Amino acid sequence: MGNMISNREAYGRALISLGEKNSNVVVLDADLAKSTQTYMFGQRFPERYFDMGIAEANMMGFAAGLAAGGKIPYASTFCIFASLRASEQVRNSIAYPRLNVKIVATNAGIEIGADGVTHQAIEDIAVMRAIPNMTVVVPSDPVMTTQVIHQAAEFEGPMYVRLGRQPTPTLYHDDLKIEFGRSITVREGDDVTLVAVGNMVCRALQAADILAGEGVSARVLDMYTVKPIDGATLVKAAQETGCVVTAEDHNVLGGLGGAVAEVVSSEMPVPLVRVGLQDTFAQSGNSEELLEFYGMTATHIADAARQAMTRRDG
Protein backbone atom coordinates (compact mmCIF):
# COMPACT_ATOMS: atom_id res chain seq x y z
CA MET A 1 0.00 0.00 0.00
CA GLY A 2 1.39 3.35 -1.09
CA ASN A 3 1.16 7.03 -0.21
CA MET A 4 -1.93 8.35 1.50
CA ILE A 5 -4.19 11.15 0.33
CA SER A 6 -7.93 11.41 0.72
CA ASN A 7 -10.34 10.28 -1.98
CA ARG A 8 -12.05 13.66 -1.78
CA GLU A 9 -8.75 15.35 -2.67
CA ALA A 10 -8.35 12.95 -5.59
CA TYR A 11 -11.86 13.94 -6.62
CA GLY A 12 -11.00 17.63 -6.68
CA ARG A 13 -7.94 17.02 -8.82
CA ALA A 14 -9.80 14.68 -11.16
CA LEU A 15 -12.48 17.30 -11.78
CA ILE A 16 -9.89 19.72 -13.13
CA SER A 17 -8.40 17.24 -15.59
CA LEU A 18 -11.89 16.10 -16.60
CA GLY A 19 -13.02 19.69 -17.08
CA GLU A 20 -10.10 20.36 -19.37
CA LYS A 21 -11.12 17.43 -21.58
CA ASN A 22 -14.89 17.86 -21.53
CA SER A 23 -16.48 21.31 -21.76
CA ASN A 24 -19.91 19.89 -20.90
CA VAL A 25 -18.82 19.06 -17.37
CA VAL A 26 -20.20 21.46 -14.76
CA VAL A 27 -19.87 21.33 -10.99
CA LEU A 28 -22.33 22.24 -8.26
CA ASP A 29 -21.70 22.48 -4.55
CA ALA A 30 -23.78 23.29 -1.48
CA ASP A 31 -21.54 25.64 0.50
CA LEU A 32 -18.94 22.92 1.22
CA ALA A 33 -16.42 23.58 -1.53
CA LYS A 34 -13.34 23.24 0.68
CA SER A 35 -14.61 20.03 2.28
CA THR A 36 -15.64 18.41 -1.00
CA GLN A 37 -12.57 19.84 -2.77
CA THR A 38 -14.72 21.20 -5.60
CA TYR A 39 -13.26 24.64 -4.99
CA MET A 40 -10.36 23.62 -7.23
CA PHE A 41 -12.69 23.26 -10.20
CA GLY A 42 -14.31 26.57 -9.31
CA GLN A 43 -10.96 28.34 -9.40
CA ARG A 44 -10.05 26.79 -12.75
CA PHE A 45 -13.48 27.04 -14.43
CA PRO A 46 -15.52 29.71 -12.60
CA GLU A 47 -18.03 29.93 -15.44
CA ARG A 48 -18.87 26.24 -15.01
CA TYR A 49 -19.03 26.18 -11.23
CA PHE A 50 -22.18 26.87 -9.17
CA ASP A 51 -22.18 27.28 -5.40
CA MET A 52 -25.82 26.71 -4.52
CA GLY A 53 -25.51 27.58 -0.84
CA ILE A 54 -27.00 25.49 1.94
CA ALA A 55 -29.82 24.31 -0.31
CA GLU A 56 -29.12 20.71 -1.25
CA ALA A 57 -32.61 19.95 -2.56
CA ASN A 58 -32.45 22.96 -4.86
CA MET A 59 -28.99 21.91 -6.00
CA MET A 60 -30.29 18.51 -7.12
CA GLY A 61 -33.14 20.11 -9.04
CA PHE A 62 -30.73 22.56 -10.64
CA ALA A 63 -28.42 19.69 -11.60
CA ALA A 64 -31.37 17.87 -13.16
CA GLY A 65 -32.13 20.92 -15.28
CA LEU A 66 -28.53 21.18 -16.44
CA ALA A 67 -28.52 17.50 -17.37
CA ALA A 68 -31.77 17.92 -19.29
CA GLY A 69 -30.01 20.68 -21.23
CA GLY A 70 -27.12 18.42 -22.23
CA LYS A 71 -24.57 19.24 -19.54
CA ILE A 72 -22.88 16.65 -17.31
CA PRO A 73 -23.34 17.97 -13.77
CA TYR A 74 -21.30 16.76 -10.82
CA ALA A 75 -23.28 17.72 -7.71
CA SER A 76 -21.42 17.54 -4.41
CA THR A 77 -22.15 17.81 -0.73
CA PHE A 78 -21.72 15.54 2.29
CA CYS A 79 -23.12 12.01 1.96
CA ILE A 80 -25.63 12.61 4.74
CA PHE A 81 -27.16 15.60 2.95
CA ALA A 82 -27.13 14.09 -0.55
CA SER A 83 -28.86 10.90 0.54
CA LEU A 84 -31.34 12.20 3.13
CA ARG A 85 -31.91 15.95 2.96
CA ALA A 86 -32.22 15.89 -0.83
CA SER A 87 -33.54 12.35 -1.24
CA GLU A 88 -36.90 13.33 -2.74
CA GLN A 89 -35.30 15.51 -5.40
CA VAL A 90 -32.73 12.79 -6.15
CA ARG A 91 -35.52 10.25 -6.54
CA ASN A 92 -38.09 12.27 -8.46
CA SER A 93 -36.02 14.82 -10.38
CA ILE A 94 -32.93 12.77 -11.22
CA ALA A 95 -33.48 9.02 -10.94
CA TYR A 96 -37.06 8.77 -12.19
CA PRO A 97 -36.34 10.58 -15.51
CA ARG A 98 -32.89 8.88 -15.70
CA LEU A 99 -31.05 12.19 -15.98
CA ASN A 100 -27.31 12.23 -16.38
CA VAL A 101 -26.38 13.63 -12.97
CA LYS A 102 -23.32 12.49 -11.03
CA ILE A 103 -23.85 12.90 -7.29
CA VAL A 104 -20.40 12.79 -5.74
CA ALA A 105 -20.69 12.95 -1.96
CA THR A 106 -17.92 13.11 0.62
CA ASN A 107 -17.47 12.56 4.37
CA ALA A 108 -18.88 9.04 4.40
CA GLY A 109 -19.42 6.84 7.43
CA ILE A 110 -18.20 7.16 11.00
CA GLU A 111 -14.67 7.71 9.74
CA ILE A 112 -15.41 11.44 9.73
CA GLY A 113 -15.20 11.16 13.52
CA ALA A 114 -15.79 14.25 15.59
CA ASP A 115 -18.54 15.72 13.40
CA GLY A 116 -20.89 13.32 15.15
CA VAL A 117 -24.20 11.65 14.38
CA THR A 118 -25.70 14.51 12.37
CA HIS A 119 -22.88 14.27 9.82
CA GLN A 120 -21.98 10.57 9.94
CA ALA A 121 -23.64 9.03 6.90
CA ILE A 122 -24.38 5.42 7.83
CA GLU A 123 -27.50 4.93 5.69
CA ASP A 124 -26.59 6.49 2.35
CA ILE A 125 -25.62 3.33 0.44
CA ALA A 126 -28.90 1.72 1.52
CA VAL A 127 -30.92 4.77 0.49
CA MET A 128 -29.26 5.24 -2.87
CA ARG A 129 -29.21 1.62 -3.97
CA ALA A 130 -32.93 1.34 -3.20
CA ILE A 131 -33.69 4.07 -5.77
CA PRO A 132 -34.39 2.61 -9.24
CA ASN A 133 -32.04 3.67 -12.07
CA MET A 134 -29.31 4.74 -9.60
CA THR A 135 -25.79 3.31 -9.94
CA VAL A 136 -23.86 3.29 -6.64
CA VAL A 137 -20.04 3.39 -6.64
CA VAL A 138 -17.71 3.43 -3.61
CA PRO A 139 -14.04 3.86 -4.66
CA SER A 140 -11.39 2.49 -2.33
CA ASP A 141 -8.34 4.59 -3.11
CA PRO A 142 -7.28 7.82 -4.89
CA VAL A 143 -6.32 6.06 -8.13
CA MET A 144 -9.71 4.39 -8.36
CA THR A 145 -11.47 7.63 -7.43
CA THR A 146 -9.77 9.38 -10.33
CA GLN A 147 -10.80 6.60 -12.72
CA VAL A 148 -14.39 6.65 -11.44
CA ILE A 149 -14.74 10.42 -11.86
CA HIS A 150 -13.44 10.33 -15.43
CA GLN A 151 -15.46 7.29 -16.48
CA ALA A 152 -18.62 8.63 -14.88
CA ALA A 153 -18.66 11.35 -17.55
CA GLU A 154 -18.86 8.62 -20.21
CA PHE A 155 -21.56 6.72 -18.34
CA GLU A 156 -25.11 7.69 -19.23
CA GLY A 157 -27.47 7.95 -16.26
CA PRO A 158 -27.69 8.86 -12.59
CA MET A 159 -24.78 7.84 -10.38
CA TYR A 160 -23.97 8.16 -6.68
CA VAL A 161 -20.26 8.16 -5.81
CA ARG A 162 -19.40 7.84 -2.10
CA LEU A 163 -16.06 9.25 -0.88
CA GLY A 164 -14.38 9.30 2.51
CA ARG A 165 -12.83 12.21 4.35
CA GLN A 166 -9.63 10.74 5.78
CA PRO A 167 -6.43 9.98 3.85
CA THR A 168 -6.39 6.43 2.49
CA PRO A 169 -3.55 4.22 1.25
CA THR A 170 -2.97 4.01 -2.48
CA LEU A 171 -3.79 0.43 -3.46
CA TYR A 172 -3.64 0.57 -7.25
CA HIS A 173 -1.35 1.71 -10.04
CA ASP A 174 -2.27 4.40 -12.56
CA ASP A 175 -2.93 1.75 -15.23
CA LEU A 176 -5.93 0.49 -13.25
CA LYS A 177 -8.93 -0.44 -15.39
CA ILE A 178 -12.40 -0.38 -13.89
CA GLU A 179 -15.85 -1.19 -15.21
CA PHE A 180 -19.06 -0.20 -13.47
CA GLY A 181 -20.91 -3.29 -12.33
CA ARG A 182 -17.71 -5.24 -11.72
CA SER A 183 -15.35 -5.81 -8.80
CA ILE A 184 -11.61 -6.32 -8.39
CA THR A 185 -10.09 -9.42 -6.85
CA VAL A 186 -7.32 -7.65 -4.96
CA ARG A 187 -6.01 -10.83 -3.41
CA GLU A 188 -6.62 -14.49 -4.23
CA GLY A 189 -7.50 -16.97 -1.52
CA ASP A 190 -9.22 -20.30 -0.97
CA ASP A 191 -10.38 -20.38 2.66
CA VAL A 192 -12.63 -17.31 3.10
CA THR A 193 -13.79 -14.35 1.03
CA LEU A 194 -13.53 -10.81 2.38
CA VAL A 195 -15.72 -8.34 0.46
CA ALA A 196 -15.12 -4.67 1.21
CA VAL A 197 -15.75 -1.16 -0.09
CA GLY A 198 -14.19 2.25 0.34
CA ASN A 199 -11.94 2.78 3.34
CA MET A 200 -12.50 -0.82 4.46
CA VAL A 201 -10.66 -2.39 1.52
CA CYS A 202 -7.26 -1.56 2.97
CA ARG A 203 -8.42 -2.98 6.31
CA ALA A 204 -9.62 -6.16 4.62
CA LEU A 205 -6.16 -6.53 3.10
CA GLN A 206 -4.62 -6.06 6.54
CA ALA A 207 -7.00 -8.70 7.89
CA ALA A 208 -5.88 -11.04 5.11
CA ASP A 209 -2.30 -10.53 6.25
CA ILE A 210 -3.29 -11.39 9.84
CA LEU A 211 -5.05 -14.55 8.65
CA ALA A 212 -2.12 -15.50 6.43
CA GLY A 213 0.02 -15.60 9.57
CA GLU A 214 -2.33 -18.31 10.83
CA GLY A 215 -2.20 -20.30 7.60
CA VAL A 216 -5.55 -19.01 6.36
CA SER A 217 -5.80 -17.97 2.70
CA ALA A 218 -8.26 -15.06 2.39
CA ARG A 219 -9.61 -13.83 -0.92
CA VAL A 220 -10.23 -10.04 -0.95
CA LEU A 221 -12.80 -8.48 -3.28
CA ASP A 222 -13.02 -4.72 -3.79
CA MET A 223 -16.75 -4.43 -4.53
CA TYR A 224 -16.47 -0.84 -5.70
CA THR A 225 -19.78 -0.99 -7.55
CA VAL A 226 -22.42 -1.80 -4.94
CA LYS A 227 -25.20 -1.40 -7.50
CA PRO A 228 -25.32 -3.16 -9.88
CA ILE A 229 -23.31 -5.62 -7.82
CA ASP A 230 -20.94 -8.12 -9.40
CA GLY A 231 -23.04 -11.18 -8.62
CA ALA A 232 -21.06 -13.56 -10.81
CA THR A 233 -17.80 -12.91 -8.96
CA LEU A 234 -19.58 -13.14 -5.59
CA VAL A 235 -21.17 -16.47 -6.41
CA LYS A 236 -17.88 -17.88 -7.67
CA ALA A 237 -16.08 -16.72 -4.51
CA ALA A 238 -18.79 -18.12 -2.23
CA GLN A 239 -18.68 -21.45 -4.05
CA GLU A 240 -14.89 -21.71 -3.94
CA THR A 241 -14.27 -20.52 -0.37
CA GLY A 242 -17.49 -21.59 1.32
CA CYS A 243 -17.93 -18.50 3.50
CA VAL A 244 -18.02 -14.72 3.15
CA VAL A 245 -17.31 -11.65 5.27
CA THR A 246 -18.40 -8.14 4.30
CA ALA A 247 -16.76 -4.95 5.60
CA GLU A 248 -18.15 -1.43 5.25
CA ASP A 249 -18.14 1.92 7.04
CA HIS A 250 -21.93 1.94 7.03
CA ASN A 251 -24.86 0.31 8.77
CA VAL A 252 -24.80 -3.43 8.05
CA LEU A 253 -28.50 -3.13 7.19
CA GLY A 254 -29.11 -2.24 3.55
CA GLY A 255 -25.54 -1.46 2.56
CA LEU A 256 -22.82 -3.73 1.17
CA GLY A 257 -23.65 -6.47 3.66
CA GLY A 258 -27.29 -6.41 2.64
CA ALA A 259 -26.44 -6.39 -1.06
CA VAL A 260 -24.07 -9.35 -0.71
CA ALA A 261 -26.58 -11.22 1.46
CA GLU A 262 -29.21 -10.83 -1.25
CA VAL A 263 -26.94 -12.45 -3.84
CA VAL A 264 -25.47 -15.17 -1.64
CA SER A 265 -28.76 -16.24 -0.05
CA SER A 266 -30.44 -16.74 -3.41
CA GLU A 267 -27.55 -18.02 -5.51
CA MET A 268 -25.00 -19.73 -3.25
CA PRO A 269 -26.03 -19.95 0.43
CA VAL A 270 -22.92 -19.96 2.64
CA PRO A 271 -22.12 -18.54 6.09
CA LEU A 272 -21.95 -14.74 5.96
CA VAL A 273 -20.67 -12.37 8.66
CA ARG A 274 -21.17 -8.63 8.23
CA VAL A 275 -18.65 -6.16 9.67
CA GLY A 276 -19.90 -2.61 9.97
CA LEU A 277 -22.02 -0.45 12.21
CA GLN A 278 -24.45 -2.83 13.89
CA ASP A 279 -27.64 -0.82 13.43
CA THR A 280 -26.71 1.92 15.87
CA PHE A 281 -25.75 5.57 15.77
CA ALA A 282 -22.10 6.19 16.57
CA GLN A 283 -20.52 8.54 19.05
CA SER A 284 -18.42 11.57 18.22
CA GLY A 285 -14.68 11.04 18.49
CA ASN A 286 -11.39 10.19 16.85
CA SER A 287 -12.02 8.23 13.66
CA GLU A 288 -9.65 5.35 14.40
CA GLU A 289 -10.94 5.06 17.96
CA LEU A 290 -14.51 4.94 16.66
CA LEU A 291 -13.68 2.17 14.19
CA GLU A 292 -12.08 0.23 17.03
CA PHE A 293 -14.99 0.81 19.40
CA TYR A 294 -17.59 -0.30 16.84
CA GLY A 295 -15.69 -3.38 15.71
CA MET A 296 -14.58 -2.24 12.27
CA THR A 297 -10.79 -2.68 12.24
CA ALA A 298 -8.62 -5.25 10.46
CA THR A 299 -8.54 -7.29 13.66
CA HIS A 300 -12.33 -7.38 13.75
CA ILE A 301 -12.50 -8.41 10.10
CA ALA A 302 -10.10 -11.26 10.84
CA ASP A 303 -12.29 -12.28 13.81
CA ALA A 304 -15.33 -12.27 11.52
CA ALA A 305 -13.47 -14.50 9.06
CA ARG A 306 -12.77 -17.01 11.83
CA GLN A 307 -16.46 -16.97 12.79
CA ALA A 308 -17.51 -17.56 9.20
CA MET A 309 -15.08 -20.46 8.77
CA THR A 310 -16.20 -22.02 12.05
CA ARG A 311 -19.82 -21.87 10.93
CA ARG A 312 -18.88 -23.39 7.58
CA ASP A 313 -16.90 -26.22 9.16
CA GLY A 314 -19.14 -26.75 12.16
Side-chain angles (χ1 to χ4, degrees):
M1 287 185 267
N3 295 332
M4 296 177 64
I5 68 168
S6 68
N7 287 335
R8 59 176 179 157
E9 183 177 347
Y11 168 48
R13 295 177 182 177
L15 279 178
I16 294 176
S17 57
L18 177 60
E20 290 171 346
K21 296 176 182 177
N22 193 330
S23 61
N24 281 324
V25 169
V26 296
V27 175
L28 297 79
D29 198 277
D31 200 41
L32 290 169
K34 284 295 181 72
S35 293
T36 63
Q37 300 290 294
T38 56
Y39 78 93
M40 290 189 273
F41 186 93
Q43 291 176 345
R44 177 67 177 81
F45 304 103
E47 73 285 359
R48 287 194 268 154
Y49 176 77
F50 305 91
D51 189 336
M52 306 302 297
I54 307 174
E56 293 84 359
N58 182 52
M59 178 178 69
M60 296 304 177
F62 195 89
L66 288 168
K71 298 299 182 183
I72 307 174
Y74 283 68
S76 291
T77 182
F78 288 174
C79 294
I80 192 75
F81 304 139
S83 62
L84 294 178
R85 184 176 292 175
S87 60
E88 182 182 352
Q89 286 71 28
V90 169
R91 178 187 187 272
N92 293 340
S93 297
I94 295 173
Y96 176 48
R98 294 176 183 260
L99 289 174
N100 195 29
V101 176
K102 317 306 170 185
I103 303 166
V104 185
T106 70
N107 292 40
I110 67 171
E111 179 199 58
I112 69 170
D115 286 0
V117 168
T118 58
H119 286 57
Q120 291 169 347
I122 61 169
E123 316 91 344
D124 58 311
I125 296 176
V127 170
M128 289 297 188
R129 81 178 189 93
I131 298 176
N133 301 330
M134 185 65 71
T135 295
V136 179
V137 182
V138 187
S140 57
D141 88 330
V143 173
M144 181 181 285
T145 298
T146 300
Q147 294 284 342
V148 166
I149 297 308
H150 279 265
Q151 290 194 30
E154 306 300 322
F155 177 89
E156 187 67 30
M159 179 178 290
Y160 178 70
V161 181
R162 184 189 208 240
L163 303 178
R165 173 183 181 178
Q166 305 296 343
T168 188
T170 300
L171 305 177
Y172 301 109
H173 299 294
D174 290 338
D175 60 356
L176 173 72
K177 303 296 181 184
I178 64 166
E179 181 180 344
F180 298 130
R182 301 297 299 274
S183 62
I184 295 175
T185 302
V186 189
R187 183 165 176 163
E188 295 287 355
D190 301 320
D191 296 325
V192 62
T193 298
L194 310 180
V195 186
V197 291
N199 64 332
M200 299 299 280
V201 174
C202 64
R203 293 176 173 87
L205 286 167
Q206 292 166 354
D209 287 337
I210 294 171
L211 294 166
E214 303 168 5
V216 174
S217 172
R219 185 176 308 187
V220 180
L221 302 182
D222 183 341
M223 195 58 63
Y224 60 88
T225 308
V226 181
K227 180 188 176 184
I229 200 163
D230 186 358
T233 298
L234 272 177
V235 169
K236 182 174 183 288
Q239 182 178 36
E240 293 177 352
T241 66
C243 56
V244 176
V245 173
T246 61
E248 60 193 310
D249 188 356
H250 185 275
N251 193 343
V252 294
L253 302 183
L256 174 71
V260 170
E262 291 165 12
V263 173
V264 170
S265 63
S266 62
E267 302 292 335
M268 183 57 61
V270 298
L272 169 65
V273 181
R274 294 174 293 171
V275 174
L277 208 60
Q278 301 295 318
D279 196 25
T280 183
F281 291 113
Q283 302 176 56
S284 174
N286 173 274
S287 60
E288 291 300 322
E289 291 177 355
L290 289 176
L291 292 169
E292 173 69 36
F293 184 82
Y294 290 103
M296 296 161 60
T297 66
T299 300
H300 294 104
I301 297 172
D303 288 341
R306 298 184 195 100
Q307 293 174 33
M309 290 187 292
T310 298
R311 286 169 51 191
R312 177 196 62 200
D313 301 335

